[in-house]
Amino acid sequence: MEVVIAAPEELVALAAGAIESLLAAKPAAVLGLATGSSPLGIYDELVRRYEDGRVSFAHARGFLLDEYVGLPADHPERYRNVIEQEIASRVDFVPDAVQGPDGLAEDIAAACVRYEAAIAEAGGVDLQILGIGTDGHVGFNEPGSSLASRTRIKTLTDQTRADNARFFDGDVEAVPRHCLTQGLATIMSARHIVLIASGRAKAEAIHHLVEGPVSAMWPGTILQHHPHVSVLIDPAAASRLQLADYFRSTYAAKPAWQGL
Ligand code: F6R
């Protein structure tokens, strides 16, 4: 696990650079796309690089991390619509190259199985963008999630619904109670995981993710078992790390040729 503590602009450039390099080496790469506010800077930077002709998504595929259950197809906070607006429609993904779990499926369990099969059929995720919840969730794998979980329905915690009320005009009751999410084992199958987080509210979750024991109580800790994880955090999100000085000096001395 590499931990980079830097200003948000530098973190965004690092993540976008990793995606640009991946697509240059493998134009048909498969990207794992998170929603929420954390990845928005990365998406804006990718759009800038696309407009500058540095990167193309024409052969790439994208898979969403998660989706709310039951939000109407045209609801602006439905994650499929959020991703369309924030990245898919702003670059040259071909239609249907980006898909998400079907939160409107009549048979939810079957939709989850289909989603896992679609990811596998695409060859698996090359690079997964992740955020982290204040309670340590990745995807919507809330505390107590099985560390071996696959895509399935989950119930959001009150804390996550309160955190996400800002996307629903502050109305916590408007935040769906259920979601579909890639499981922790699904996320762990990605070949490279890039997690980005900023702000003091994320500091405890980041402390557990990086320095805590692996536990379903802090689901993100499973990433300690992954061979290629980049944790990109600003100083506020790093404020509870015991190893912060070590991570800073390691990054300062990083060989120039070494990407994320
Ligand atoms: C979003 C997702 C969530 C968010 C997390 C942080 O697809 O899976 O895990 O990454 O809730 O949300 P923000 O970035 O809004 O703080």
Side-chain angles (χ1 to χ4, degrees):
M1 179 177 280
E2 179 181 22
V3 179
V4 179
I5 304 168
E9 316 79 67
E10 189 174 345
L11 303 177
V12 157
L14 284 171
I19 294 167
E20 182 182 332
S21 303
L22 170 66
L23 288 168
K26 184 178 180 184
V30 178
L31 301 174
L33 302 169
T35 44
S37 39
S38 303
L40 294 180
I42 302 174
Y43 296 149
D44 286 343
E45 179 60 21
L46 287 172
V47 171
R48 271 193 289 278
R49 292 180 189 215
Y50 162 70
E51 288 170 348
D52 288 349
R54 291 168 61 177
V55 65
S56 167
F57 300 81
H59 302 285
R61 311 263 312 260
F63 286 92
L64 272 65
L65 254 187
D66 39 24
E67 181 60 275
Y68 290 117
V69 168
L71 282 188
D74 60 352
H75 195 290
E77 288 308 322
R78 185 177 171 237
Y79 280 171
R80 188 65 196 78
N81 298 335
V82 171
I83 283 292
E84 190 63 24
Q85 171 161 334
E86 298 297 347
I87 178 87
S89 66
R90 299 167 72 199
V91 297
D92 58 347
F93 275 116
V94 300
D96 298 330
V98 175
Q99 44 183 308
D102 184 0
L104 289 171
E106 275 197 14
D107 185 340
I108 288 284
C112 293
V113 170
R114 272 202 309 278
Y115 196 60
E116 286 281 333
I119 296 173
E121 203 178 303
V125 171
D126 290 298
L127 188 152
Q128 175 68 56
I129 301 168
L130 279 188
I132 189 166
T134 56
D135 64 1
H137 68 234
V138 289
F140 274 142
N141 294 283
E142 297 283 29
S145 289
S146 161
L147 300 180
S149 49
R150 291 276 166 188
T151 304
R152 69 214 183 289
I153 190 167
K154 285 294 288 182
T155 304
L156 296 174
T157 61
D158 290 345
Q159 186 173 331
T160 298
R161 291 181 74 222
D163 286 347
N164 285 6
R166 69 190 193 281
F167 297 114
F168 292 81
D169 297 325
D171 178 7
V172 74
E173 287 310 318
V175 183
R177 222 165 259 283
H178 294 109
C179 62
L180 304 185
T181 180
Q182 287 191 27
L184 292 170
T186 319
I187 293 169
M188 288 289 285
S189 304
R191 287 180 271 280
H192 180 194
I193 294 175
V194 177
L195 183 145
I196 187 159
S198 60
R200 182 67 186 79
K202 300 291 174 73
E204 192 181 7
I206 291 294
H207 160 62
H208 285 280
L209 168 78
V210 177
E211 300 175 333
V214 175
S215 160
M217 276 304 286
W218 290 92
T221 57
I222 189 64
L223 300 185
Q224 292 177 25
H225 282 292
H226 193 286
H228 192 185
V229 178
S230 309
V231 176
L232 310 180
I233 49 178
D234 75 349
S239 58
R240 288 210 43 209
L241 288 180
Q242 290 166 27
L243 295 174
D245 289 345
Y246 170 67
F247 294 134
R248 284 193 169 94
S249 63
T250 300
Y251 184 60
K254 185 172 173 172
W257 52 264
Q258 201 181 25
L260 280 185

